[in-house]
Amino acid sequence: MKLGIINSAFAQAGVDTKTGLEHIARLGFDTVDIFPEPMTIDQKEVDLIKNICDTKNLPIVSVVVVAFGLVDFNDPVREFHEKRVKKAVDLVREFGAKNVLLVLGEYIWQREVIPPQAQWDWGVQHTRNIAEYAAQYGVEIALELEPFRLSLLNSVPKMAQFINDCGLPNVKANIDISHLVLADSSPSELSLLKGKAAHVHISDCDGMVHGDLPPGRGVVKFAPYLQAIKELDFEGSVSLELEYSPDPSKIVEWVEEAYRTTNELMQQVGLRT
């Protein structure tokens, strides 16, 4: 597998797109994931990203989009977000990437008032619609597992069930290692995702609260999860997800540290190719 990073690590520290991508290429990452707003990114920014990545031989693998509105109880809201995610599919095509990393929403009102099954079914239907559109272009939908109590996809069994309910070969899972730890999901559970995984996120945490720290700064025992991912035997990237550096002025050092420790972890299990 390849070692990548989401470019939002730099963007959230106030670093412009061009400089952030240049740092990512210089540090030795194999790939990059782009986290844009599909509805407002302009062609100038798209061309800038494409030109830098082409020049630096930095393939774009994934376009990240958070679309909580896909499970909203208002029809027009769901329809808007379906169109929005389809625009992310269009960006994947333009970037020559592989997947849309899709973050679904949460059950509202403590799973009361609106039947939880209704929100689940809305999520399945709109994900299917998006995936059918994406399939025309060979694009995969990689679903994010979120470890929060009311998230639709907050466990490996739920992820496997949702993928099965969608019933389309290009609807797959993104495996986020720190999210698995926070959700009390063991490495052995990943066998449920055999043939259903497309992408990986890696970061550390304190075992209790969502963190997105450089590996080594928290409590996550990465080796068993990386070994389980290796055994799933799929081509993809292990992308660092680093959010909200405590000292934005030292974001380059933050990313350098994360690159170094993640590379070491992947090498230990023979995962980086």
Side-chain angles (χ1 to χ4, degrees):
M1 298 185 76
K2 305 301 183 184
L3 173 53
I5 186 172
I6 308 174
N7 76 320
S8 57
F10 284 102
Q12 291 183 0
V15 179
D16 66 88
T17 301
K18 179 176 182 293
T19 303
L21 290 172
E22 288 173 344
H23 280 307
I24 288 167
R26 176 183 60 79
L27 291 171
F29 286 95
D30 304 314
T31 62
V32 66
D33 302 351
I34 304 297
F35 196 167
E37 171 45 59
M39 299 299 287
T40 58
I41 188 171
D42 60 25
Q43 193 61 45
K44 182 178 179 181
E45 180 79 355
V46 170
D47 291 341
L48 172 69
I49 292 168
K50 287 171 58 178
N51 290 338
I52 294 172
C53 290
D54 287 346
T55 300
K56 300 296 183 180
N57 192 27
L58 183 67
I60 301 169
V61 170
S62 183
V63 171
V64 182
V65 61
V66 178
F68 281 17
L70 288 176
V71 294
D72 192 275
F73 67 94
N74 297 290
D75 292 355
V77 175
R78 297 198 305 276
E79 291 165 3
F80 169 81
H81 282 279
E82 180 179 315
K83 292 176 182 177
R84 180 169 167 263
V85 180
K86 286 178 178 176
K87 284 190 173 291
V89 173
D90 294 339
L91 285 174
V92 169
R93 294 169 56 200
E94 190 155 6
F95 288 145
K98 294 183 178 179
N99 68 66
V100 168
L101 192 291
L102 176 58
V103 183
L104 291 177
E106 301 184 344
Y107 294 106
I108 63 169
W109 295 327
Q110 302 182 124
R111 294 169 56 95
E112 301 170 20
V113 185
I114 304 296
Q117 187 63 47
Q119 283 194 267
W120 180 274
D121 291 344
W122 292 330
V124 168
Q125 185 56 60
H126 287 285
T127 301
R128 281 184 57 86
N129 294 346
I130 293 162
E132 287 171 351
Y133 176 74
Q136 302 174 72
Y137 310 107
V139 174
E140 294 181 327
I141 307 301
L143 297 164
E144 178 84 323
L145 186 154
E146 295 280 17
F148 310 113
R149 183 173 61 87
L150 292 177
S151 296
L152 263 73
L153 306 181
N154 62 4
S155 71
V156 174
K158 284 292 185 183
M159 175 69 77
Q161 179 188 347
F162 191 91
I163 291 170
N164 289 340
D165 287 356
C166 287
L168 294 172
N170 65 327
V171 177
K172 296 184 177 181
N174 175 66
I175 299 171
D176 189 308
I177 296 175
S178 70
H179 290 187
L180 293 175
V181 171
L182 292 167
D184 292 324
S185 295
S186 67
S188 63
E189 288 186 56
L190 290 178
S191 62
L192 293 173
L193 300 178
K194 182 74 172 179
K196 297 180 171 117
H199 201 58
V200 176
H201 283 172
I202 188 168
S203 61
D204 215 332
C205 67
D206 64 5
M208 296 177 289
V209 177
H210 189 273
D212 286 344
L213 306 171
R217 285 186 174 244
V219 301
V220 175
K221 294 178 173 59
F222 290 97
Y225 289 98
L226 291 172
Q227 183 61 41
I229 289 166
K230 183 180 180 182
E231 291 169 6
L232 292 178
D233 192 25
F234 69 97
E235 291 295 323
S237 285
V238 177
S239 291
L240 274 159
E241 183 175 15
L242 303 175
E243 307 295 350
Y244 302 107
S245 168
D247 185 352
S249 69
K250 295 185 177 179
I251 187 59
V252 175
E253 292 87 345
W254 187 254
V255 174
E256 285 177 333
E257 174 189 334
Y259 173 88
R260 183 176 63 255
T261 56
T262 304
N263 177 57
E264 291 171 357
L265 289 165
M266 293 177 69
Q267 298 288 354
Q268 286 172 14
V269 297
L271 190 57
R272 189 176 184 190
T273 57

